[in-house]
């Protein structure tokens, strides 16, 4: 058994040490907001925070996440209050199909913690998540709105 701390709660997970963290989050713990896209750290659909830093959970061994604070999109809102990134996403109607968007929001939330007022160049360098629906312009507008909220 492997013990994981996800969204402030402890979970015992029956998984092999080299199981991708994404599968433990989705299959063992049942938090399905974190998505599988590519499985090779390229698309960002599986982005979570590990100790506050954005990480692509498809490419992290579950054993490497032990003892760390893992936050998924389900843990982004605090005490029933949406995170400013979630509010900006709603206000700008960012998602199309929505599949990439939980990973997108997690990447953006981590960026804003690091850089409260990111430039377009910062966004281009950091938000490398892939959106097959092409929501990139709305993502950019919503990032600036969240930064100014
Ligand atoms: S599923 Fe993890 S980066 Fe694509
Ligand atoms: S909203 Fe459909 S993949 Fe991004």
């Amino acid at each position: 058994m492997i013990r994981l701390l996800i969204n402030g709660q402890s979970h015992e997970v029956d998984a092999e040490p080299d199981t991708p963290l994404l599968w433990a989050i989705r299959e063992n713990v049942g938090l399905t907001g974190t998505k599988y896209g590519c499985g090779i750290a390229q698309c960002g659909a599986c982005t979570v925070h590990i100790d506050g830093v954005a990480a692509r959970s498809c490419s992290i061994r579950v054993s490497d996440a032990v003892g760390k604070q893992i936050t998924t999109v389900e843990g982004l809102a605090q005490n029933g209050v949406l995170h400013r990134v979630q509010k900006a996403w709603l206000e700008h109607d960012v998602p199309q199909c929505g599949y990439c968007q939980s990973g997108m929001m997690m990447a953006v939330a981590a960026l804003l913690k690091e850089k409260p007022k990111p430039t377009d160049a910062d966004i281009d360098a950091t938000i490398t998540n892939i959106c097959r629906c092409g929501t990139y312009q709305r993502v950019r507008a919503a990032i600036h709105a969240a930064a100014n909220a």
Side-chain angles (χ1 to χ4, degrees):
M1 287 300 236
I2 289 176
R3 183 176 293 275
L4 294 176
L5 191 58
I6 304 178
N7 302 332
Q9 289 191 337
S10 181
H11 296 271
E12 291 270 357
V13 168
D14 185 7
E16 296 297 321
D18 60 353
T19 301
L21 175 60
L22 173 61
W23 297 134
I25 290 170
R26 287 182 56 85
E27 304 295 327
N28 298 85
V29 181
L31 293 172
T32 55
T34 307
K35 303 300 187 197
Y36 171 77
C38 64
I40 52 169
Q42 294 295 304
C43 75
C46 65
T47 303
V48 298
H49 296 175
I50 298 182
D51 287 342
V53 177
R56 295 187 172 181
S57 62
C58 68
S59 300
I60 292 169
R61 292 156 22 116
V62 72
S63 56
D64 290 336
V66 171
K68 303 193 172 156
Q69 302 266 1
I70 301 159
T71 307
T72 69
V73 71
E74 290 89 347
L76 200 53
Q78 290 290 312
N79 303 319
V81 178
L82 291 182
H83 188 282
R84 62 192 162 129
V85 170
Q86 293 171 307
K87 287 184 190 158
W89 249 239
L90 281 172
E91 280 159 16
H92 287 76
D93 213 2
V94 173
Q96 188 164 319
C97 80
Y99 196 84
C100 71
Q101 298 290 335
S102 56
M104 196 73 90
M105 288 191 293
M106 294 308 284
V108 170
L111 168 64
L112 292 180
K113 214 187 288 174
E114 190 79 2
K115 290 197 177 187
K117 301 276 182 208
T119 63
D120 281 343
D122 293 330
I123 294 168
D124 290 343
T126 311
I127 307 303
T128 56
N129 300 45
I130 293 170
C131 173
R132 294 191 69 172
C133 299
T135 62
Y136 300 108
Q137 293 311 315
R138 292 200 298 277
V139 166
R140 187 183 301 279
I143 293 171
H144 288 305
N148 290 313

